[in-house]
Amino acid sequence: MTTTTFETDLPRAERQRLTSELLAEAHNAEGEEQDQLLEEVILLNAAVARSIAHRYTGRGIPRADLEQVAYIALVRAAKSFHPDRADDFLTYAVPTIRGEVKRWFRDHGWTVRPPRPIQELQSTLLRIGSERGSLPTSELAEIADVPEQKVREALDARGCFTPSSLDAPLRPSDSQSSPDATIGDMLPGIDGGLSDCETRLALEQAIHSLCPRDQLVVKLRFLEDRSQAEIGEAIGVTQTQVSRILTRIIDELRAQLEGVGIAA
């Protein structure tokens, strides 16, 4: 019997040999002896389960949680494996572990849960994107064999999985300018309806002071939720120019609101 821990990571050939020997012994053992042999199998292959879990980190679920799911799946695979099912234990265990991790994402990873078909389509679109790079909606719909509207719905649901941080800036930082406002800064306060009404009136007056084109940009971006590319097409400028226009407008509105004593 080998002496291993969860941190043990042997070369593949040695791990495979030891695992096969231990499983063969466990198949012919019973009770406590069998449990000990299977525990050795689990420890020998813990690094593999950990590696699978780490492939899914950075997607909104803590790494420690993913590792626990992978370890539990490894334990189940070790206890249910039969030497007659496959020559290599990992041929059986890896799909089991990967499937459990994916199910965990499906069941626990959504902050706001969209319908199951949208979840599944989003997974398909992410796979297509990783294989072929960025593609237009029409091409994605053709490859996935679904209507374009469904593709848009799936892409719009991306924020449901890992929502944007309230501390994220509204625009890229500029070392020569004042600190950027964050997404959280744009959320309504809790100081009552009268203050909100005063703020809305002041903001309305500030917007009316803008030139007609800037007023149109504000309408398209914040009322109709148009993208910068769509706004650029509507007013005849590039997406980069739209970004600069929005930055200037926000700075002008903020200055006007601060001028009348309202935090922008």
Side-chain angles (χ1 to χ4, degrees), residues 188-206 257 260 262:
I190 56 175
D191 54 351
L194 183 61
S195 176
D196 291 342
C197 180
E198 181 183 359
T199 301
R200 286 195 295 270
L201 288 174
L203 180 58
E204 183 178 355
Q205 293 177 358
L257 294 177
V260 295
I262 296 176

Side-chain angles (χ1 to χ4, degrees), residues 8-215:
T8 301
D9 188 6
L10 298 175
R12 179 175 180 176
E14 184 178 356
R15 182 178 62 242
Q16 182 178 10
R17 178 183 62 78
L18 291 172
T19 298
S20 297
E21 292 176 358
L22 289 167
L23 286 171
E25 292 181 32
H27 181 62
N28 297 317
E30 295 181 355
E32 184 176 346
E33 181 185 359
Q34 185 181 64
D35 292 340
Q36 291 177 349
L37 290 166
L38 291 178
E39 182 178 348
E40 288 291 325
V41 170
I42 293 165
L43 293 175
L44 274 173
N45 293 276
V48 177
R50 189 162 51 247
S51 175
I52 294 173
H54 290 180
R55 297 174 190 172
Y56 295 87
T57 56
R59 304 187 189 182
I61 293 182
R63 173 179 289 192
D65 290 354
L66 297 176
E67 289 180 351
Q68 289 301 315
V69 173
Y71 291 149
I72 291 172
L74 173 62
V75 171
R76 291 175 179 170
K79 291 185 176 181
S80 61
F81 179 79
H82 193 283
D84 294 339
R85 294 181 179 177
D87 295 332
D88 182 11
F89 169 67
L90 290 181
T91 302
Y92 170 77
V94 168
T96 301
I97 298 169
R98 187 184 297 121
E100 287 297 324
V101 173
K102 288 182 176 180
R103 273 191 287 275
W104 183 265
F105 266 95
R106 184 191 66 195
D107 296 336
H108 301 277
W110 297 90
T111 302
V112 178
R113 187 183 298 277
R116 176 64 60 79
I118 295 297
Q119 296 181 36
E120 294 175 349
L121 178 56
Q122 184 185 118
S123 177
T124 299
L125 296 177
L126 289 173
R127 176 178 53 77
I128 294 173
S130 65
E131 294 174 352
R132 309 195 184 191
S134 179
L135 295 174
T137 302
S138 57
E139 290 189 30
L140 286 172
E142 183 177 352
I143 295 171
D145 194 24
V146 295
E148 286 190 43
Q149 180 60 32
K150 293 297 183 182
V151 171
R152 295 191 187 95
E153 291 177 3
L155 295 176
D156 289 342
R158 283 176 294 189
C160 296
F161 190 80
T162 307
S164 300
S165 169
L166 294 181
D167 294 326
L170 291 173
R171 59 187 173 89
S173 299
D174 183 348
S175 58
Q176 297 180 349
S177 65
S178 59
D180 292 326
T182 65
I183 295 175
D185 293 333
M186 303 302 290
L187 296 177
I190 56 175
D191 54 351
L194 183 61
S195 176
D196 291 342
C197 180
E198 181 183 359
T199 301
R200 286 195 295 270
L201 288 174
L203 180 58
E204 183 178 355
Q205 293 177 358
I207 291 175
H208 281 310
S209 71
L210 300 173
C211 69
R213 189 183 75 165
D214 286 354
Q215 291 185 37

